[in-house]
């Protein structure tokens, strides 16, 4: 019988125009065999869907939410205001961004009490790694995979240096 898996990470974004950036989070999570679900949830265009998503995510079994948005990037902060799950924000340099700082500051400058763990501009891959690290706190097997990942990065840099 096929194994049905409950996604542990919810990846959401404000628009399909964020998808190319946000796919990097999905890719790296898949490489660690972490199940995730991907959806478009806009704070401005589908506010009721956003409330529904944020208020039901924990009950559905999601452990970490990765939220990407650009410009007036309210999605990560608004989702964080509606859930106690950790929210990782990905500022996207989007079609309506001035230079990307708008997206960064909209996500980063949260008020006390409502944190969003903000990664670098377009750094959805790092958001995926951070989500994996959060999950690995209670999962030794996953923690070992992350250690191997770091070792591999180290090896690659040493190899590249030798080629100079
Ligand atoms: C934000 O507006 C989205 O997250 C996206 O980055 C940006 C532009 O959206 P589109 O006009 O391309 O749909 O809410």
């Amino acid at each position: 019988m096929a194994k049905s898996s409950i996604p542990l990470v919810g990846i959401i974004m404000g628009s399909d125009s964020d998808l190319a950036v946000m796919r990097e989070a999905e890719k790296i999570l898949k490489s660690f065999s972490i199940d995730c679900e991907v959806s478009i949830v806009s704070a401005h265009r589908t506010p009721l869907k956003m409330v529904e998503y944020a208020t039901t995510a924990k009950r559905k079994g999601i452990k970490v939410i990765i939220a990407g948005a650009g410009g007036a990037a309210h999605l990560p902060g608004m989702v964080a205001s509606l859930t106690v799950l950790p929210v990782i924000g990905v500022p996207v340099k989007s079609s309506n961004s001035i230079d990307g700082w708008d997206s960064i500051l909209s996500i980063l400058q949260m008020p006390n009490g409502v944190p969003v763990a903000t990664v670098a501009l377009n750094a959805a891959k790092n958001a995926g790694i951070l989500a994996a690290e959060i999950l690995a706190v209670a999962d030794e097997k996953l923690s070992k995979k992350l250690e191997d990942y770091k070792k591999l990065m180290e090896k690659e840099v040493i190899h590249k240096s030798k080629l100079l």
Side-chain angles (χ1 to χ4, degrees):
M1 202 167 70
K3 181 179 142 237
S4 73
S5 47
I6 298 164
L8 295 178
V9 180
I11 301 172
I12 53 174
M13 64 208 82
S15 167
D16 61 339
S17 64
D18 301 321
L19 194 57
V21 168
M22 296 306 292
R23 279 275 187 228
E24 292 303 314
E26 187 188 19
K27 255 199 247 168
I28 190 81
L29 285 164
K30 276 193 177 159
S31 79
F32 294 128
S33 307
I34 297 170
D35 290 312
C36 50
E37 60 168 30
V38 180
S39 24
I40 297 167
V41 181
S42 168
H44 305 117
R45 294 169 179 152
T46 63
L48 298 181
K49 184 180 178 190
M50 177 197 66
V51 173
E52 164 79 12
Y53 185 91
T55 55
T56 58
K58 186 166 182 263
R59 215 178 311 140
K60 286 190 308 192
I62 300 254
K63 305 288 184 213
V64 184
I65 295 173
I66 297 174
H74 295 137
L75 180 67
M78 286 308 299
V79 168
S81 76
L82 291 159
T83 180
V84 295
L85 293 176
V87 176
I88 304 170
V90 182
V92 177
K93 186 164 185 237
S94 62
S95 53
N96 64 328
S97 279
I98 298 170
D99 55 7
W101 274 113
D102 42 9
S103 317
I104 292 171
L105 296 175
S106 297
I107 296 177
L108 184 69
Q109 290 303 110
M110 289 296 291
N112 279 331
V114 191
V116 170
T118 310
V119 295
L121 191 66
N122 288 345
K125 183 175 182 174
N126 266 1
I129 295 169
L130 184 54
E133 288 177 344
I134 292 168
L135 294 171
V137 168
D139 183 338
E140 212 28 65
K141 230 169 110 184
L142 178 57
S143 187
K144 173 78 180 57
K145 282 185 195 173
L146 285 160
E147 273 169 30
D148 291 346
Y149 178 76
K150 276 202 191 294
K151 277 185 201 143
L152 185 67
M153 271 196 303
E154 186 184 24
K155 246 185 172 171
E156 279 171 1
V157 173
I158 290 167
H159 175 69
K160 281 176 191 168
S161 177
K162 279 185 185 151
L163 296 177
L164 298 179

